[in-house]
Every structure is written in structure tokens, then in C-alpha cells.
Amino acid sequence: MALHFSCSMLAGVVAAAVTAPVDLAKTRIMNGSPHGIVGTIAGIARTEGPTSVYKGFTGQWLRIGPHTTISLLAFENLRHFCGLAYL
């Protein structure tokens, strides 16, 4: 159970790390940026620095992390309860 919990938490961190730049770009586009997603992310990285694309990572992880952790643990326990083998 501890291994599944640790792996689920790591998956939540990875999910937040992957989606944080896209979420930031979406917010900037909704606020009137004339560029597309790639152009907006590139512009943010160029003008504000490469690590600035992870602004709001903590909030992103607080939203996605628990959801991912709970979902994956529930799926694993359900799989075990139903007697299904690993894929």
C-alpha cells in the first residue's frame, strides 16, 4: 500500500509539472494574449525566464495531486478487490 501511495503521489507531481505551463498559457490567452499556446509559453520563457512557466505550480499540484493520488489508489484497490491481475 505504501508503494502504491508513493507512486500515486509521484504521478500527481508529474501530472502537475506537465500541465502547469499549459494552464499558465491558457490563463494568459484568456486574458488577451494574441499568440497560441506554444507562442505564449515561448514568450513567457523568453521575457520572464524559463522557470517562470511553472508559476502557480503549487496551486496546480494542490488541485491535481490529491485527485491523482486518490484516483490511482482507488483504482488499484478496486482492481485488487475484483481479483484482477496486473496488466
Side-chain angles (χ1 to χ4, degrees), residues 29-73:
I29 290 170
M30 289 174 66
N31 286 329
S33 176
H35 310 291
I37 283 188
V38 175
T40 302
I41 292 173
I44 292 169
R46 185 174 45 254
T47 59
E48 301 175 31
T51 59
S52 65
V53 296
Y54 288 102
K55 285 181 180 177
F57 173 78
T58 304
Q60 188 81 357
W61 186 83
L62 288 174
R63 185 179 66 178
I64 291 179
H67 174 267
T68 304
T69 303
I70 291 169
S71 295
L72 292 177
L73 283 174

